[in-house]
Amino acid sequence: MKGRRILVTGGAGFIGTHTVLELLRQGFLVSIVDNLDNAVEEAILRVIKLVGPKLAINLEFHQGDIRNAGDLEKLFSTNQYDAVIHFAGHKAVAESVAHPIKYFDNNLVGSINLYKTMEKYNCKRLVFSSSATVYGEPKEIPCKEDIQLNATNPYGLTKLCLERFAEELQKADPEWRIILLRYFNPVGAHYSGEIGEDPKGIPNNLMPYITQVAVGRLPELNVYGLDYPTRDGTAIRDYIHVMDLADGHVVALQKLLEHKDIGCVAYNLGTGRGTSVLEMVAAFEKVSGKKIPIKHCARRPGDATEVYASTEKAARELGWKAKYGILEMCRDQWKWASQNPFGYRSNSKC
């Protein structure tokens, strides 16, 4: 795979940086395009530090917005890409319920611009960052890729629409090869503690919220819903280490590049195990030695009760399986947070 050039949209973000790191280590040439709406350029500099100067020369960063067709035109007119990994998009359920137009504009319009430009320049291999939110409130768990999809919030609806769009695109033009990766709840960080999740403002996701409480940036953890019909009353999710997720993107990309008869196919990336909010808090407290104060809150609109993955298809067809458990996720999350208590914006030590 050495020498293949890959465009990574949203590559300065949490999952993007970890995936770019692995792509560079596998010998790929990588171009990132990111508008830095929820990311910072420092994250890319940390990736460069981790891979070293020999591999860093294979990385380009372009600040741009995929909603702007001109930004994409500049990239594709000056580079020949072998494939695209598409992360760029807003991704918070609660925010999408409050601001649906923001999500439809950013996630749908941006993606359609991207696909039009890819088609124009005959770049028809795509790994799409989808989400377990396309399952909504699943009627059966673990979630298998062929069960009925039913998004219950605007964020999930954008992902579902884009999956359907990809299916129709490939059906109309069989030259397209598309892999849809439905991943569950990415957490953790690179084991070095150099890169990790650094959301702007108050976090929408559980683990960055926990870590900001642990380092003293927030006073307590809001737990939304203690009346779910689960073993401890809190919602259950399939948490996956971000490095497992990065590896899943690399193996999906390799399949795209090596096989012609891909079509448009979806894979779950998860551990296949459900963990409740309170169980994750307890695991983090065990690893970090920090007590996390909790505030009980009402359920958030759009949140499902219990969602976790069936991972058999990814294991069978991609040869991929998650390696890390929740203690390793919490360990690496804590290392990142304790070394970078204010994220990329500060070198302060906890």
Short mmCIF file of all heavy atoms in Angstrom, two decimals, residues 5 8 43 53 64 122 200 221 247 263 280 291 297 305 320 327 336 346 350:
data_model
loop_
_atom_site.label_atom_id
_atom_site.label_comp_id
_atom_site.label_asym_id
_atom_site.label_seq_id
_atom_site.Cartn_x
_atom_site.Cartn_y
_atom_site.Cartn_z
N ARG A 5 -2.13 7.61 -2.18
CA ARG A 5 -2.47 8.90 -1.57
C ARG A 5 -3.94 8.90 -1.14
O ARG A 5 -4.83 8.63 -1.93
CB ARG A 5 -2.21 10.05 -2.55
CG ARG A 5 -2.49 11.43 -1.93
CD ARG A 5 -1.98 12.56 -2.81
NE ARG A 5 -0.52 12.59 -2.87
CZ ARG A 5 0.27 13.09 -1.92
NH1 ARG A 5 -0.28 13.58 -0.81
NH2 ARG A 5 1.56 13.09 -2.07
N VAL A 8 -8.17 12.55 3.79
CA VAL A 8 -8.91 12.32 5.03
C VAL A 8 -9.63 13.62 5.39
O VAL A 8 -9.00 14.60 5.79
CB VAL A 8 -7.98 11.89 6.18
CG1 VAL A 8 -8.80 11.61 7.45
CG2 VAL A 8 -7.19 10.64 5.78
N ALA A 43 -3.08 19.42 17.04
CA ALA A 43 -3.26 17.97 16.99
C ALA A 43 -2.46 17.36 15.85
O ALA A 43 -1.87 16.28 15.99
CB ALA A 43 -4.75 17.65 16.84
N PRO A 53 10.26 12.51 11.51
CA PRO A 53 10.45 13.29 10.27
C PRO A 53 10.38 12.48 9.00
O PRO A 53 9.94 13.00 7.96
CB PRO A 53 11.85 13.91 10.47
CG PRO A 53 12.52 13.08 11.53
CD PRO A 53 11.42 12.59 12.42
N GLY A 64 -9.69 23.85 5.14
CA GLY A 64 -10.76 24.09 4.18
C GLY A 64 -12.05 23.46 4.66
O GLY A 64 -12.06 22.67 5.61
N ASN A 122 -12.79 11.19 -10.84
CA ASN A 122 -12.70 9.73 -10.96
C ASN A 122 -12.02 9.08 -9.74
O ASN A 122 -11.26 8.12 -9.88
CB ASN A 122 -11.98 9.32 -12.25
CG ASN A 122 -12.29 7.89 -12.65
OD1 ASN A 122 -13.40 7.41 -12.46
ND2 ASN A 122 -11.29 7.20 -13.19
N LYS A 200 -14.38 21.36 21.97
CA LYS A 200 -14.52 22.75 22.36
C LYS A 200 -15.81 22.92 23.17
O LYS A 200 -16.85 22.36 22.82
CB LYS A 200 -14.55 23.64 21.12
CG LYS A 200 -13.23 23.64 20.33
CD LYS A 200 -13.30 24.54 19.11
CE LYS A 200 -11.97 24.53 18.35
NZ LYS A 200 -12.01 25.37 17.12
N LEU A 221 -20.15 15.34 37.01
CA LEU A 221 -20.59 14.68 35.78
C LEU A 221 -22.11 14.61 35.76
O LEU A 221 -22.73 14.07 36.68
CB LEU A 221 -20.02 13.26 35.71
CG LEU A 221 -20.56 12.36 34.59
CD1 LEU A 221 -20.11 12.86 33.23
CD2 LEU A 221 -20.12 10.91 34.81
N ASP A 247 -7.51 1.35 13.51
CA ASP A 247 -7.11 0.13 12.83
C ASP A 247 -8.22 -0.38 11.92
O ASP A 247 -7.96 -0.85 10.80
CB ASP A 247 -6.74 -0.94 13.87
CG ASP A 247 -6.27 -2.23 13.24
OD1 ASP A 247 -5.31 -2.20 12.46
OD2 ASP A 247 -6.88 -3.29 13.52
N GLY A 263 -18.81 -3.16 -3.97
CA GLY A 263 -20.15 -2.60 -3.94
C GLY A 263 -20.22 -1.51 -2.89
O GLY A 263 -19.31 -0.71 -2.74
N MET A 280 -18.81 2.58 33.37
CA MET A 280 -17.67 3.28 32.80
C MET A 280 -17.08 4.26 33.81
O MET A 280 -15.85 4.39 33.92
CB MET A 280 -18.08 4.01 31.51
CG MET A 280 -16.92 4.66 30.78
SD MET A 280 -15.61 3.50 30.30
CE MET A 280 -16.24 2.89 28.74
N LYS A 291 -12.15 10.36 42.29
CA LYS A 291 -13.57 10.21 42.53
C LYS A 291 -14.32 11.19 41.63
O LYS A 291 -13.99 12.38 41.58
CB LYS A 291 -13.90 10.50 44.00
CG LYS A 291 -15.37 10.34 44.34
CD LYS A 291 -15.82 8.90 44.21
CE LYS A 291 -17.30 8.73 44.59
NZ LYS A 291 -17.79 7.35 44.32
N CYS A 297 -29.57 13.71 36.22
CA CYS A 297 -30.35 14.58 35.34
C CYS A 297 -31.38 13.76 34.58
O CYS A 297 -31.28 12.53 34.47
CB CYS A 297 -29.43 15.29 34.34
SG CYS A 297 -28.12 16.27 35.10
N THR A 305 -31.77 3.50 24.75
CA THR A 305 -31.58 2.79 26.01
C THR A 305 -30.32 1.93 26.00
O THR A 305 -29.45 2.05 26.86
CB THR A 305 -32.80 1.90 26.32
OG1 THR A 305 -33.96 2.72 26.42
CG2 THR A 305 -32.59 1.13 27.62
N TRP A 320 -11.00 -8.04 11.23
CA TRP A 320 -10.82 -7.03 12.28
C TRP A 320 -11.56 -7.42 13.54
O TRP A 320 -12.69 -7.89 13.48
CB TRP A 320 -11.30 -5.67 11.80
CG TRP A 320 -11.20 -4.60 12.85
CD1 TRP A 320 -10.15 -3.77 13.07
CD2 TRP A 320 -12.19 -4.26 13.82
NE1 TRP A 320 -10.42 -2.93 14.13
CE2 TRP A 320 -11.67 -3.21 14.61
CE3 TRP A 320 -13.48 -4.74 14.12
CZ2 TRP A 320 -12.38 -2.64 15.66
CZ3 TRP A 320 -14.19 -4.18 15.16
CH2 TRP A 320 -13.64 -3.14 15.91
N LEU A 327 -10.90 -1.02 30.70
CA LEU A 327 -9.82 -0.55 31.58
C LEU A 327 -8.69 0.07 30.77
O LEU A 327 -8.13 1.10 31.17
CB LEU A 327 -9.30 -1.70 32.44
CG LEU A 327 -10.25 -2.18 33.54
CD1 LEU A 327 -9.64 -3.35 34.30
CD2 LEU A 327 -10.62 -1.05 34.51
N TRP A 336 -3.89 10.76 28.62
CA TRP A 336 -4.06 11.95 27.79
C TRP A 336 -4.51 13.14 28.63
O TRP A 336 -3.95 14.23 28.55
CB TRP A 336 -5.07 11.66 26.68
CG TRP A 336 -5.82 12.86 26.16
CD1 TRP A 336 -7.13 13.18 26.40
CD2 TRP A 336 -5.30 13.91 25.33
NE1 TRP A 336 -7.47 14.36 25.78
CE2 TRP A 336 -6.36 14.83 25.11
CE3 TRP A 336 -4.07 14.18 24.76
CZ2 TRP A 336 -6.22 15.98 24.34
CZ3 TRP A 336 -3.91 15.33 23.98
CH2 TRP A 336 -4.97 16.21 23.78
N SER A 346 -3.14 23.91 26.12
CA SER A 346 -2.29 24.21 27.28
C SER A 346 -1.30 23.08 27.48
O SER A 346 -1.62 21.92 27.27
CB SER A 346 -3.13 24.40 28.53
OG SER A 346 -2.31 24.52 29.66
N CYS A 350 -1.35 18.18 35.14
CA CYS A 350 -2.36 17.99 36.17
C CYS A 350 -1.70 17.68 37.51
O CYS A 350 -0.75 16.92 37.54
CB CYS A 350 -3.29 16.83 35.79
SG CYS A 350 -4.58 16.47 36.97
#
